[in-house]
Every structure is written in C-alpha cells, then in structure tokens.
Amino acid sequence: MAALRGPPGLQALLQALLAALPALLLPLQALLALLALLALLPALLLPLPPAGASRPGSADRCSWRGSGLSWEPRSRAVEQVHLRCTVGSLEWMYPARALRVLLEPNLASAQHTMVCIKPASDFQGASIYVERAGQLHLVVSEAEGARPRHVSCFSAHSPRGVALFLQASPQRDISRRTASFQYELLSNQSAAGPDLKKMALAEAMCRPCDNMELLMAICSSDFVLKGSIQSVSHDPENHMSQVDVRVQKVYRQKNQIFQQEEGSGEWRGPIQTLLQCKVKKGGGDFLFTGNEHFGEAWLGCAPRFKDFMLVYQAARERGANPCEFELN
C-alpha cells in the first residue's frame, strides 16, 4: 500500500480507519441484508389462498367470479372455467374478449343432461352461447337485454357436460358492466322422471297428481306446507303465474322462502307456476308441495288438504306410505 501523506495527526487517523474497515463492513453487510428482507416483507404478509383454491378456470368449484381487467391486454386466449356442481353461479365483471364455461357435474352417472340458466336482472356486457356439435347457438343476447325472471333451458348432447361460451360486447368506455347468471343441471330422461317433475320451469305439472305421486311428493319435495290461497297474479309476458299463500303450518322447506311477517305474525310466501296451468284462487286449505329453483318456490302437487289426508291415511293403513308424515 502506498504511504499516506499529510500531517502526522491526519496520517494516524487514516491508518486507524483503514485498520477498522473490515470490522465496519460486517455491520454494513448485515444492514443491507436487513433492508433486502424488509423489501420482501409485504409479499410475505399476504394472506395464503384458501385450501383447494386456484386461478380462475382450473378450480373444482360450484361458482366462479372474475374480471376481464385482470387479463393480459395483448392476449387473445379464451379463459377456461370449469364448474363441477349441479347448482351454482357465475359473475364476470368488466367482460373482455371471451369466456368458455364447462359445466361438468362430478357425478357417478351422467343423468344430469339438461341445463337451465337464469341471467341476473342487470346482465350486460356479453352474450351467452351454448356449444352444440361444434356450433354456437345464441341463448342470451345483450342486445335484447336480460328479461326479468327469464330462464333458458336446453338439453346437453354430450354426457361429459355442457359448454357455454360468453362473448364480450365491444365497449366504448370503462363503466362497470357485469355478466352474471345462475345455473342448474337436471335430468331429462323422460317426462315421468323425478327430476323433470320437480323442474316446473321445463314442464309444469298442470294436471292433478295421482295418489302415488302425491305420496312421493311429501317425501322428496323441497317444501311441504299447509295453507290457503291469498291471491293469484299472472305475468303473460313471462308466461308465469304466482300464487301467494297464507301458511298455517310449514312441514318442511329447504330455504326461508316462506317467512313470518313481523306485524301480523302470519306466515306467507309466493309459489311460482306456469301460466298455461291456469291456476285460480280457490277456497279452503291445501297441501302445497314443490321444489326450489333459482331461489323461488315452484308448485308441484297441491291437493286439498282433506283429500290428501284420506289418501295418506289409507296408504298408511296398508303400509304403502313411502315415508312418515306429521299428521298433527
């Protein structure tokens, strides 16, 4: 090392600093390592994804929620979404390009081959197509707008499931648009199949139920209740009727469609059916049975309560009742 020049006091100071330099470098290196660790701290503090979760398009789930804003702007790839339940929903915010939705119910048998979808009342930003034999068939058009309570049902020609194709509409601004819908998969084996009986959206049971159908209805329906008809309203545009029921006793309901009013304390609720059934208001007590679809109660068997009691008691005496029913 070259000799240090300068005043003797300065030379001594510089020599002391050079001698202490190795010891000073160690804390400096430790400080730099600490700063690097602090830079990684925000990433380390992010919450872990829930068990079983993954990126959209690869998760085994009933519902999907995503945004077109999160996609690569230059990418032309079509996002793939796999839904493996018989009931679920999809919400696509800021639709961009296209989305392919595969409804693949994880069932032991491929009996569920009918799909029904119900767009949200504020559905916009895309159109929905169903894939059939390599061709796309329009189901919901944004140009027409989503009609309130409109449900589209169609058969699937592949036992592997149903493929829907959502095509985003061109947008001139960044205002929020959301294309969302609910779906249900059902069986279309025959008109006498239990799944179609419970799907009044596909084929209403306008005829009276026979005794065996009635006995089965009290065992397998989503709701069973005793009540009277308060009013009947008709919606010709959507080909539907609504029966408003004053409930005396709820034997069973899947969800809280029939609720107790705070003021009067009475139990009430609406039941849907098709306009072609020509439902009219009648006096007396009825046994209302049916199933729920898209959050609504749909009418199944609805005999007068006294007639139901005669049928059930006769079957019970013969030991032919398929399930026990609470009589009191």
Side-chain angles (χ1 to χ4, degrees):
M1 180 180 294
L4 295 174
R5 297 181 181 180
L10 180 59
Q11 292 181 11
L13 178 60
L14 291 176
Q15 289 176 351
L17 288 175
L18 289 175
L21 185 60
L24 292 174
L25 288 177
L26 292 176
L28 181 60
Q29 292 174 348
L31 178 61
L32 292 176
L34 179 60
L35 292 175
L37 180 60
L38 291 175
L40 295 175
L41 191 58
L44 296 175
L45 293 178
L46 288 176
L48 294 175
S54 57
R55 292 184 177 181
S58 62
D60 184 353
R61 62 181 74 178
C62 300
S63 299
W64 181 87
R65 187 173 187 262
S67 172
L69 298 180
S70 62
W71 297 353
E72 289 293 335
R74 298 180 181 179
S75 174
R76 294 181 177 271
V78 176
E79 184 77 18
Q80 300 280 341
V81 174
H82 295 257
L83 301 176
R84 304 186 187 278
C85 299
T86 57
V87 178
S89 62
L90 180 141
E91 183 179 4
W92 191 22
M93 298 175 291
Y94 301 102
R97 298 190 303 279
L99 188 71
R100 189 169 185 261
V101 183
L102 297 175
L103 304 178
E104 302 171 319
N106 191 12
L107 302 174
S109 59
Q111 296 179 352
H112 290 65
T113 52
M114 171 176 285
V115 62
C116 294
I117 62 174
K118 181 181 181 181
S121 58
D122 58 349
F123 181 97
Q124 56 180 333
S127 297
I128 303 178
Y129 300 81
V130 60
E131 294 184 12
R132 291 178 180 171
Q135 301 292 324
L136 295 178
H137 300 268
L138 183 64
V139 177
V140 178
S141 171
E142 187 199 23
E144 300 176 357
R147 291 178 291 171
R149 304 170 70 183
H150 177 67
V151 175
S152 298
C153 297
F154 41 88
S155 297
H157 296 276
S158 171
R160 294 188 298 272
V162 178
L164 300 177
F165 190 84
L166 279 71
Q167 177 66 54
S169 305
Q171 307 296 341
R172 297 181 179 179
D173 53 57
I174 197 62
S175 61
R176 175 167 178 169
R177 294 173 175 84
T178 303
S180 59
F181 63 85
Q182 297 172 284
Y183 72 88
E184 290 192 20
L185 270 72
L186 303 164
S187 171
N188 63 351
Q189 290 178 327
S190 66
D195 285 321
L196 262 193
K197 283 182 182 178
K198 79 178 203 176
M199 186 52 180
L201 297 174
E203 181 176 335
M205 293 189 64
C206 296
R207 61 176 179 79
C209 297
D210 60 32
N211 291 350
M212 183 52 65
E213 290 171 336
L214 176 56
L215 292 172
M216 289 301 298
I218 63 173
C219 303
S220 59
S221 296
D222 289 339
F223 66 89
V224 180
L225 54 94
K226 176 184 179 181
S228 58
I229 300 176
Q230 183 178 6
S231 63
V232 178
S233 57
H234 304 289
D235 182 1
E237 181 179 357
N238 292 301
H239 308 286
M240 291 171 54
S241 297
Q242 177 172 300
V243 182
D244 293 309
V245 176
R246 181 184 291 111
V247 181
Q248 297 180 26
K249 184 175 180 60
V250 177
Y251 295 99
R252 180 171 66 254
Q253 65 171 323
K254 186 176 181 180
N255 295 303
Q256 300 301 314
I257 295 179
F258 304 94
Q259 297 185 3
Q260 188 175 23
E261 294 183 348
E262 293 183 1
S264 63
E266 294 183 343
W267 285 76
R268 301 176 186 271
I271 301 177
Q272 314 299 327
T273 188
L274 293 189
L275 185 64
Q276 68 191 49
C277 293
K278 299 179 180 179
V279 176
K280 298 180 180 179
K281 182 179 179 179
D285 297 333
F286 294 83
L287 181 77
F288 295 99
T289 70
N291 288 275
E292 298 178 16
H293 299 285
F294 302 110
E296 296 178 325
W298 282 82
L299 186 64
C301 299
R304 291 191 177 275
F305 193 80
K306 61 180 182 180
D307 296 334
F308 158 71
M309 291 296 295
L310 293 175
V311 171
Y312 179 77
Q313 289 174 345
R316 191 177 185 185
E317 291 175 358
R318 302 192 311 270
N321 53 314
C323 66
E324 290 294 327
F325 183 77
E326 180 183 356
L327 294 178
N328 296 328

